[in-house]
Amino acid sequence: MTDMTEQRLSEILAAYGADPKRWPEHEREAATALVARSHEARMAVAEEAELDASLDLVDMEAAPSWLAPKIGAVLAEEASTRPLLSRFWPFGTLWTPAAGLVAAALLGMVVGTEIAPAPAEPGSDPLATIAYSALGVPTQEYLP
């Protein structure tokens, strides 16, 4: 019997499911012993059993026959393009930083258009007078 780690058990569960009959024969005994002594391993098997039960409910033969090749083509395209994209952009999805840049640009435009420039002559610009009073600067100093 070989030593079984929780990492290896999670790999077995991901590949073969929760049913010990499907696990590789040379690792089955060690895996079942680990499940018997480890609470975390039992929880992992229970989660995988829930997933197996959900997958068993899916009736693949009920799906339209024209849909299967299209799903396969989309999955193959994703598999072929994702590694190339991840080489150039290893930070995950592209929309998150793009949304941050758009939000920062919009905020900069709003703030830039709302701030009034300093008047050339004190009291000559009514918007500047309002801005000074909103900031708490005494307007008597700036009125003619």
PDB file of all heavy atoms in Angstrom, residues 36-70:
ATOM      1  N   ALA A  36     -11.171   7.063   5.258  1.00  0.00           N
ATOM      2  CA  ALA A  36     -11.645   6.552   6.542  1.00  0.00           C
ATOM      3  C   ALA A  36     -11.069   7.336   7.717  1.00  0.00           C
ATOM      4  O   ALA A  36     -11.742   7.495   8.750  1.00  0.00           O
ATOM      5  CB  ALA A  36     -11.288   5.072   6.682  1.00  0.00           C
ATOM      6  N   ARG A  37      -9.856   7.872   7.583  1.00  0.00           N
ATOM      7  CA  ARG A  37      -9.224   8.537   8.725  1.00  0.00           C
ATOM      8  C   ARG A  37      -9.245  10.057   8.657  1.00  0.00           C
ATOM      9  O   ARG A  37      -8.924  10.720   9.635  1.00  0.00           O
ATOM     10  CB  ARG A  37      -7.797   8.030   8.902  1.00  0.00           C
ATOM     11  CG  ARG A  37      -6.824   8.482   7.874  1.00  0.00           C
ATOM     12  CD  ARG A  37      -5.395   8.020   8.212  1.00  0.00           C
ATOM     13  NE  ARG A  37      -4.466   8.513   7.237  1.00  0.00           N
ATOM     14  CZ  ARG A  37      -4.090   7.883   6.151  1.00  0.00           C
ATOM     15  NH1 ARG A  37      -4.554   6.663   5.909  1.00  0.00           N
ATOM     16  NH2 ARG A  37      -3.237   8.418   5.310  1.00  0.00           N
ATOM     17  N   SER A  38      -9.636  10.655   7.538  1.00  0.00           N
ATOM     18  CA  SER A  38      -9.558  12.109   7.391  1.00  0.00           C
ATOM     19  C   SER A  38     -10.932  12.714   7.124  1.00  0.00           C
ATOM     20  O   SER A  38     -11.631  12.328   6.187  1.00  0.00           O
ATOM     21  CB  SER A  38      -8.610  12.467   6.245  1.00  0.00           C
ATOM     22  OG  SER A  38      -8.696  13.845   5.944  1.00  0.00           O
ATOM     23  N   HIS A  39     -11.287  13.683   7.966  1.00  0.00           N
ATOM     24  CA  HIS A  39     -12.562  14.381   7.784  1.00  0.00           C
ATOM     25  C   HIS A  39     -12.566  15.191   6.483  1.00  0.00           C
ATOM     26  O   HIS A  39     -13.573  15.223   5.773  1.00  0.00           O
ATOM     27  CB  HIS A  39     -12.819  15.301   8.978  1.00  0.00           C
ATOM     28  CG  HIS A  39     -14.062  16.119   8.844  1.00  0.00           C
ATOM     29  ND1 HIS A  39     -15.318  15.555   8.915  1.00  0.00           N
ATOM     30  CD2 HIS A  39     -14.235  17.445   8.614  1.00  0.00           C
ATOM     31  CE1 HIS A  39     -16.221  16.507   8.742  1.00  0.00           C
ATOM     32  NE2 HIS A  39     -15.591  17.659   8.571  1.00  0.00           N
ATOM     33  N   GLU A  40     -11.447  15.856   6.174  1.00  0.00           N
ATOM     34  CA  GLU A  40     -11.352  16.652   4.939  1.00  0.00           C
ATOM     35  C   GLU A  40     -11.525  15.777   3.703  1.00  0.00           C
ATOM     36  O   GLU A  40     -12.164  16.165   2.735  1.00  0.00           O
ATOM     37  CB  GLU A  40     -10.016  17.408   4.871  1.00  0.00           C
ATOM     38  CG  GLU A  40      -9.891  18.539   5.860  1.00  0.00           C
ATOM     39  CD  GLU A  40      -9.445  18.071   7.237  1.00  0.00           C
ATOM     40  OE1 GLU A  40      -9.019  16.907   7.370  1.00  0.00           O
ATOM     41  OE2 GLU A  40      -9.550  18.871   8.177  1.00  0.00           O
ATOM     42  N   ALA A  41     -10.950  14.578   3.747  1.00  0.00           N
ATOM     43  CA  ALA A  41     -11.074  13.660   2.619  1.00  0.00           C
ATOM     44  C   ALA A  41     -12.521  13.209   2.455  1.00  0.00           C
ATOM     45  O   ALA A  41     -13.031  13.129   1.333  1.00  0.00           O
ATOM     46  CB  ALA A  41     -10.158  12.460   2.819  1.00  0.00           C
ATOM     47  N   ARG A  42     -13.201  12.948   3.586  1.00  0.00           N
ATOM     48  CA  ARG A  42     -14.617  12.560   3.492  1.00  0.00           C
ATOM     49  C   ARG A  42     -15.455  13.705   2.918  1.00  0.00           C
ATOM     50  O   ARG A  42     -16.378  13.477   2.138  1.00  0.00           O
ATOM     51  CB  ARG A  42     -15.141  12.149   4.870  1.00  0.00           C
ATOM     52  CG  ARG A  42     -14.691  10.767   5.300  1.00  0.00           C
ATOM     53  CD  ARG A  42     -15.431  10.278   6.532  1.00  0.00           C
ATOM     54  NE  ARG A  42     -15.224  11.111   7.716  1.00  0.00           N
ATOM     55  CZ  ARG A  42     -14.188  10.995   8.548  1.00  0.00           C
ATOM     56  NH1 ARG A  42     -13.272  10.067   8.323  1.00  0.00           N
ATOM     57  NH2 ARG A  42     -14.073  11.780   9.592  1.00  0.00           N
ATOM     58  N   MET A  43     -15.143  14.933   3.302  1.00  0.00           N
ATOM     59  CA  MET A  43     -15.871  16.088   2.772  1.00  0.00           C
ATOM     60  C   MET A  43     -15.632  16.231   1.268  1.00  0.00           C
ATOM     61  O   MET A  43     -16.553  16.536   0.506  1.00  0.00           O
ATOM     62  CB  MET A  43     -15.444  17.371   3.496  1.00  0.00           C
ATOM     63  CG  MET A  43     -15.829  17.396   4.962  1.00  0.00           C
ATOM     64  SD  MET A  43     -17.605  17.293   5.237  1.00  0.00           S
ATOM     65  CE  MET A  43     -18.139  18.816   4.533  1.00  0.00           C
ATOM     66  N   ALA A  44     -14.400  16.001   0.823  1.00  0.00           N
ATOM     67  CA  ALA A  44     -14.094  16.089  -0.606  1.00  0.00           C
ATOM     68  C   ALA A  44     -14.847  15.021  -1.392  1.00  0.00           C
ATOM     69  O   ALA A  44     -15.377  15.285  -2.478  1.00  0.00           O
ATOM     70  CB  ALA A  44     -12.587  15.956  -0.827  1.00  0.00           C
ATOM     71  N   VAL A  45     -14.917  13.813  -0.832  1.00  0.00           N
ATOM     72  CA  VAL A  45     -15.657  12.734  -1.502  1.00  0.00           C
ATOM     73  C   VAL A  45     -17.137  13.073  -1.544  1.00  0.00           C
ATOM     74  O   VAL A  45     -17.810  12.848  -2.562  1.00  0.00           O
ATOM     75  CB  VAL A  45     -15.401  11.382  -0.803  1.00  0.00           C
ATOM     76  CG1 VAL A  45     -16.336  10.307  -1.320  1.00  0.00           C
ATOM     77  CG2 VAL A  45     -13.954  10.958  -1.002  1.00  0.00           C
ATOM     78  N   ALA A  46     -17.676  13.656  -0.471  1.00  0.00           N
ATOM     79  CA  ALA A  46     -19.097  14.016  -0.448  1.00  0.00           C
ATOM     80  C   ALA A  46     -19.406  15.100  -1.491  1.00  0.00           C
ATOM     81  O   ALA A  46     -20.429  15.025  -2.182  1.00  0.00           O
ATOM     82  CB  ALA A  46     -19.484  14.499   0.948  1.00  0.00           C
ATOM     83  N   GLU A  47     -18.525  16.093  -1.617  1.00  0.00           N
ATOM     84  CA  GLU A  47     -18.724  17.133  -2.629  1.00  0.00           C
ATOM     85  C   GLU A  47     -18.681  16.546  -4.031  1.00  0.00           C
ATOM     86  O   GLU A  47     -19.482  16.897  -4.899  1.00  0.00           O
ATOM     87  CB  GLU A  47     -17.660  18.218  -2.485  1.00  0.00           C
ATOM     88  CG  GLU A  47     -17.847  19.103  -1.284  1.00  0.00           C
ATOM     89  CD  GLU A  47     -16.719  20.098  -1.124  1.00  0.00           C
ATOM     90  OE1 GLU A  47     -15.950  20.310  -2.093  1.00  0.00           O
ATOM     91  OE2 GLU A  47     -16.598  20.666  -0.027  1.00  0.00           O
ATOM     92  N   GLU A  48     -17.745  15.636  -4.247  1.00  0.00           N
ATOM     93  CA  GLU A  48     -17.637  15.014  -5.563  1.00  0.00           C
ATOM     94  C   GLU A  48     -18.842  14.125  -5.846  1.00  0.00           C
ATOM     95  O   GLU A  48     -19.301  14.036  -6.986  1.00  0.00           O
ATOM     96  CB  GLU A  48     -16.339  14.212  -5.661  1.00  0.00           C
ATOM     97  CG  GLU A  48     -15.999  13.770  -7.047  1.00  0.00           C
ATOM     98  CD  GLU A  48     -15.719  14.917  -8.012  1.00  0.00           C
ATOM     99  OE1 GLU A  48     -15.166  15.948  -7.590  1.00  0.00           O
ATOM    100  OE2 GLU A  48     -16.062  14.772  -9.202  1.00  0.00           O
ATOM    101  N   ALA A  49     -19.390  13.501  -4.819  1.00  0.00           N
ATOM    102  CA  ALA A  49     -20.576  12.674  -5.000  1.00  0.00           C
ATOM    103  C   ALA A  49     -21.778  13.533  -5.407  1.00  0.00           C
ATOM    104  O   ALA A  49     -22.594  13.115  -6.239  1.00  0.00           O
ATOM    105  CB  ALA A  49     -20.884  11.899  -3.715  1.00  0.00           C
ATOM    106  N   GLU A  50     -21.884  14.749  -4.834  1.00  0.00           N
ATOM    107  CA  GLU A  50     -22.951  15.668  -5.242  1.00  0.00           C
ATOM    108  C   GLU A  50     -22.807  16.048  -6.709  1.00  0.00           C
ATOM    109  O   GLU A  50     -23.793  16.089  -7.453  1.00  0.00           O
ATOM    110  CB  GLU A  50     -22.935  16.919  -4.375  1.00  0.00           C
ATOM    111  CG  GLU A  50     -23.421  16.705  -2.961  1.00  0.00           C
ATOM    112  CD  GLU A  50     -23.340  17.976  -2.144  1.00  0.00           C
ATOM    113  OE1 GLU A  50     -23.222  19.076  -2.726  1.00  0.00           O
ATOM    114  OE2 GLU A  50     -23.404  17.870  -0.910  1.00  0.00           O
ATOM    115  N   LEU A  51     -21.579  16.316  -7.124  1.00  0.00           N
ATOM    116  CA  LEU A  51     -21.338  16.647  -8.528  1.00  0.00           C
ATOM    117  C   LEU A  51     -21.669  15.466  -9.428  1.00  0.00           C
ATOM    118  O   LEU A  51     -22.302  15.632 -10.476  1.00  0.00           O
ATOM    119  CB  LEU A  51     -19.889  17.080  -8.735  1.00  0.00           C
ATOM    120  CG  LEU A  51     -19.480  17.386 -10.174  1.00  0.00           C
ATOM    121  CD1 LEU A  51     -20.286  18.561 -10.719  1.00  0.00           C
ATOM    122  CD2 LEU A  51     -18.001  17.663 -10.250  1.00  0.00           C
ATOM    123  N   ASP A  52     -21.269  14.281  -9.029  1.00  0.00           N
ATOM    124  CA  ASP A  52     -21.586  13.081  -9.815  1.00  0.00           C
ATOM    125  C   ASP A  52     -23.099  12.910  -9.955  1.00  0.00           C
ATOM    126  O   ASP A  52     -23.595  12.575 -11.035  1.00  0.00           O
ATOM    127  CB  ASP A  52     -20.974  11.836  -9.173  1.00  0.00           C
ATOM    128  CG  ASP A  52     -19.462  11.784  -9.313  1.00  0.00           C
ATOM    129  OD1 ASP A  52     -18.901  12.620 -10.053  1.00  0.00           O
ATOM    130  OD2 ASP A  52     -18.841  10.916  -8.670  1.00  0.00           O
ATOM    131  N   ALA A  53     -23.827  13.142  -8.868  1.00  0.00           N
ATOM    132  CA  ALA A  53     -25.291  12.998  -8.913  1.00  0.00           C
ATOM    133  C   ALA A  53     -25.901  14.028  -9.853  1.00  0.00           C
ATOM    134  O   ALA A  53     -26.833  13.721 -10.604  1.00  0.00           O
ATOM    135  CB  ALA A  53     -25.867  13.135  -7.507  1.00  0.00           C
ATOM    136  N   SER A  54     -25.374  15.247  -9.835  1.00  0.00           N
ATOM    137  CA  SER A  54     -25.880  16.281 -10.742  1.00  0.00           C
ATOM    138  C   SER A  54     -25.598  15.924 -12.194  1.00  0.00           C
ATOM    139  O   SER A  54     -26.445  16.115 -13.063  1.00  0.00           O
ATOM    140  CB  SER A  54     -25.239  17.631 -10.422  1.00  0.00           C
ATOM    141  OG  SER A  54     -25.559  18.037  -9.130  1.00  0.00           O
ATOM    142  N   LEU A  55     -24.415  15.401 -12.453  1.00  0.00           N
ATOM    143  CA  LEU A  55     -24.075  15.017 -13.820  1.00  0.00           C
ATOM    144  C   LEU A  55     -24.900  13.831 -14.298  1.00  0.00           C
ATOM    145  O   LEU A  55     -25.200  13.720 -15.483  1.00  0.00           O
ATOM    146  CB  LEU A  55     -22.582  14.709 -13.925  1.00  0.00           C
ATOM    147  CG  LEU A  55     -21.653  15.907 -13.782  1.00  0.00           C
ATOM    148  CD1 LEU A  55     -20.202  15.450 -13.757  1.00  0.00           C
ATOM    149  CD2 LEU A  55     -21.882  16.909 -14.900  1.00  0.00           C
ATOM    150  N   ASP A  56     -25.270  12.951 -13.369  1.00  0.00           N
ATOM    151  CA  ASP A  56     -26.092  11.805 -13.746  1.00  0.00           C
ATOM    152  C   ASP A  56     -27.495  12.223 -14.172  1.00  0.00           C
ATOM    153  O   ASP A  56     -28.160  11.509 -14.922  1.00  0.00           O
ATOM    154  CB  ASP A  56     -26.178  10.806 -12.591  1.00  0.00           C
ATOM    155  CG  ASP A  56     -24.860  10.076 -12.375  1.00  0.00           C
ATOM    156  OD1 ASP A  56     -24.024  10.075 -13.313  1.00  0.00           O
ATOM    157  OD2 ASP A  56     -24.662   9.524 -11.277  1.00  0.00           O
ATOM    158  N   LEU A  57     -27.953  13.392 -13.717  1.00  0.00           N
ATOM    159  CA  LEU A  57     -29.283  13.872 -14.082  1.00  0.00           C
ATOM    160  C   LEU A  57     -29.350  14.414 -15.507  1.00  0.00           C
ATOM    161  O   LEU A  57     -30.429  14.520 -16.079  1.00  0.00           O
ATOM    162  CB  LEU A  57     -29.725  14.972 -13.113  1.00  0.00           C
ATOM    163  CG  LEU A  57     -29.967  14.534 -11.675  1.00  0.00           C
ATOM    164  CD1 LEU A  57     -30.296  15.744 -10.813  1.00  0.00           C
ATOM    165  CD2 LEU A  57     -31.085  13.517 -11.604  1.00  0.00           C
ATOM    166  N   VAL A  58     -28.197  14.784 -16.063  1.00  0.00           N
ATOM    167  CA  VAL A  58     -28.171  15.353 -17.408  1.00  0.00           C
ATOM    168  C   VAL A  58     -28.392  14.242 -18.425  1.00  0.00           C
ATOM    169  O   VAL A  58     -27.687  13.232 -18.424  1.00  0.00           O
ATOM    170  CB  VAL A  58     -26.830  16.064 -17.671  1.00  0.00           C
ATOM    171  CG1 VAL A  58     -26.764  16.586 -19.088  1.00  0.00           C
ATOM    172  CG2 VAL A  58     -26.633  17.188 -16.683  1.00  0.00           C
ATOM    173  N   ASP A  59     -29.353  14.448 -19.292  1.00  0.00           N
ATOM    174  CA  ASP A  59     -29.658  13.469 -20.336  1.00  0.00           C
ATOM    175  C   ASP A  59     -29.068  13.990 -21.641  1.00  0.00           C
ATOM    176  O   ASP A  59     -29.658  14.830 -22.315  1.00  0.00           O
ATOM    177  CB  ASP A  59     -31.169  13.278 -20.450  1.00  0.00           C
ATOM    178  CG  ASP A  59     -31.523  12.174 -21.435  1.00  0.00           C
ATOM    179  OD1 ASP A  59     -30.617  11.434 -21.860  1.00  0.00           O
ATOM    180  OD2 ASP A  59     -32.712  12.055 -21.770  1.00  0.00           O
ATOM    181  N   MET A  60     -27.888  13.511 -21.978  1.00  0.00           N
ATOM    182  CA  MET A  60     -27.201  14.001 -23.178  1.00  0.00           C
ATOM    183  C   MET A  60     -27.913  13.590 -24.459  1.00  0.00           C
ATOM    184  O   MET A  60     -27.807  14.253 -25.472  1.00  0.00           O
ATOM    185  CB  MET A  60     -25.754  13.507 -23.208  1.00  0.00           C
ATOM    186  CG  MET A  60     -24.878  14.149 -22.161  1.00  0.00           C
ATOM    187  SD  MET A  60     -24.855  15.945 -22.246  1.00  0.00           S
ATOM    188  CE  MET A  60     -23.954  16.195 -23.742  1.00  0.00           C
ATOM    189  N   GLU A  61     -28.654  12.517 -24.407  1.00  0.00           N
ATOM    190  CA  GLU A  61     -29.341  12.082 -25.618  1.00  0.00           C
ATOM    191  C   GLU A  61     -30.572  12.931 -25.908  1.00  0.00           C
ATOM    192  O   GLU A  61     -31.100  12.923 -27.014  1.00  0.00           O
ATOM    193  CB  GLU A  61     -29.705  10.606 -25.494  1.00  0.00           C
ATOM    194  CG  GLU A  61     -28.455   9.752 -25.552  1.00  0.00           C
ATOM    195  CD  GLU A  61     -28.665   8.368 -24.971  1.00  0.00           C
ATOM    196  OE1 GLU A  61     -29.816   7.980 -24.776  1.00  0.00           O
ATOM    197  OE2 GLU A  61     -27.653   7.717 -24.722  1.00  0.00           O
ATOM    198  N   ALA A  62     -31.044  13.680 -24.901  1.00  0.00           N
ATOM    199  CA  ALA A  62     -32.196  14.551 -25.117  1.00  0.00           C
ATOM    200  C   ALA A  62     -31.796  15.852 -25.804  1.00  0.00           C
ATOM    201  O   ALA A  62     -32.644  16.566 -26.315  1.00  0.00           O
ATOM    202  CB  ALA A  62     -32.877  14.862 -23.791  1.00  0.00           C
ATOM    203  N   ALA A  63     -30.528  16.164 -25.827  1.00  0.00           N
ATOM    204  CA  ALA A  63     -30.059  17.388 -26.485  1.00  0.00           C
ATOM    205  C   ALA A  63     -30.199  17.240 -27.992  1.00  0.00           C
ATOM    206  O   ALA A  63     -30.047  16.140 -28.528  1.00  0.00           O
ATOM    207  CB  ALA A  63     -28.604  17.654 -26.122  1.00  0.00           C
ATOM    208  N   PRO A  64     -30.502  18.324 -28.689  1.00  0.00           N
ATOM    209  CA  PRO A  64     -30.623  18.235 -30.148  1.00  0.00           C
ATOM    210  C   PRO A  64     -29.307  17.786 -30.786  1.00  0.00           C
ATOM    211  O   PRO A  64     -28.226  18.153 -30.336  1.00  0.00           O
ATOM    212  CB  PRO A  64     -30.974  19.657 -30.574  1.00  0.00           C
ATOM    213  CG  PRO A  64     -31.299  20.404 -29.344  1.00  0.00           C
ATOM    214  CD  PRO A  64     -30.769  19.652 -28.184  1.00  0.00           C
ATOM    215  N   SER A  65     -29.415  17.005 -31.833  1.00  0.00           N
ATOM    216  CA  SER A  65     -28.215  16.449 -32.454  1.00  0.00           C
ATOM    217  C   SER A  65     -27.373  17.531 -33.135  1.00  0.00           C
ATOM    218  O   SER A  65     -26.166  17.382 -33.265  1.00  0.00           O
ATOM    219  CB  SER A  65     -28.603  15.378 -33.468  1.00  0.00           C
ATOM    220  OG  SER A  65     -29.424  15.955 -34.470  1.00  0.00           O
ATOM    221  N   TRP A  66     -27.987  18.623 -33.554  1.00  0.00           N
ATOM    222  CA  TRP A  66     -27.233  19.689 -34.220  1.00  0.00           C
ATOM    223  C   TRP A  66     -26.429  20.515 -33.233  1.00  0.00           C
ATOM    224  O   TRP A  66     -25.530  21.244 -33.606  1.00  0.00           O
ATOM    225  CB  TRP A  66     -28.169  20.609 -35.005  1.00  0.00           C
ATOM    226  CG  TRP A  66     -29.262  21.213 -34.164  1.00  0.00           C
ATOM    227  CD1 TRP A  66     -30.505  20.711 -33.973  1.00  0.00           C
ATOM    228  CD2 TRP A  66     -29.186  22.405 -33.393  1.00  0.00           C
ATOM    229  NE1 TRP A  66     -31.231  21.520 -33.140  1.00  0.00           N
ATOM    230  CE2 TRP A  66     -30.439  22.573 -32.767  1.00  0.00           C
ATOM    231  CE3 TRP A  66     -28.196  23.353 -33.162  1.00  0.00           C
ATOM    232  CZ2 TRP A  66     -30.717  23.636 -31.927  1.00  0.00           C
ATOM    233  CZ3 TRP A  66     -28.479  24.419 -32.330  1.00  0.00           C
ATOM    234  CH2 TRP A  66     -29.732  24.552 -31.716  1.00  0.00           C
ATOM    235  N   LEU A  67     -26.736  20.407 -31.921  1.00  0.00           N
ATOM    236  CA  LEU A  67     -26.073  21.226 -30.927  1.00  0.00           C
ATOM    237  C   LEU A  67     -24.703  20.677 -30.532  1.00  0.00           C
ATOM    238  O   LEU A  67     -23.789  21.441 -30.252  1.00  0.00           O
ATOM    239  CB  LEU A  67     -26.972  21.328 -29.692  1.00  0.00           C
ATOM    240  CG  LEU A  67     -26.578  22.305 -28.607  1.00  0.00           C
ATOM    241  CD1 LEU A  67     -26.496  23.713 -29.179  1.00  0.00           C
ATOM    242  CD2 LEU A  67     -27.579  22.260 -27.478  1.00  0.00           C
ATOM    243  N   ALA A  68     -24.534  19.385 -30.525  1.00  0.00           N
ATOM    244  CA  ALA A  68     -23.284  18.770 -30.060  1.00  0.00           C
ATOM    245  C   ALA A  68     -22.061  19.226 -30.853  1.00  0.00           C
ATOM    246  O   ALA A  68     -21.040  19.589 -30.254  1.00  0.00           O
ATOM    247  CB  ALA A  68     -23.417  17.260 -30.070  1.00  0.00           C
ATOM    248  N   PRO A  69     -22.092  19.237 -32.207  1.00  0.00           N
ATOM    249  CA  PRO A  69     -20.900  19.700 -32.919  1.00  0.00           C
ATOM    250  C   PRO A  69     -20.574  21.165 -32.650  1.00  0.00           C
ATOM    251  O   PRO A  69     -19.409  21.549 -32.581  1.00  0.00           O
ATOM    252  CB  PRO A  69     -21.247  19.491 -34.394  1.00  0.00           C
ATOM    253  CG  PRO A  69     -22.383  18.545 -34.415  1.00  0.00           C
ATOM    254  CD  PRO A  69     -23.096  18.712 -33.130  1.00  0.00           C
ATOM    255  N   LYS A  70     -21.602  21.988 -32.451  1.00  0.00           N
ATOM    256  CA  LYS A  70     -21.350  23.406 -32.183  1.00  0.00           C
ATOM    257  C   LYS A  70     -20.714  23.602 -30.821  1.00  0.00           C
ATOM    258  O   LYS A  70     -19.796  24.406 -30.670  1.00  0.00           O
ATOM    259  CB  LYS A  70     -22.653  24.194 -32.299  1.00  0.00           C
ATOM    260  CG  LYS A  70     -23.169  24.218 -33.708  1.00  0.00           C
ATOM    261  CD  LYS A  70     -24.380  25.069 -33.845  1.00  0.00           C
ATOM    262  CE  LYS A  70     -24.835  24.966 -35.295  1.00  0.00           C
ATOM    263  NZ  LYS A  70     -25.593  26.054 -35.741  1.00  0.00           N
TER     264      LYS A  70
END
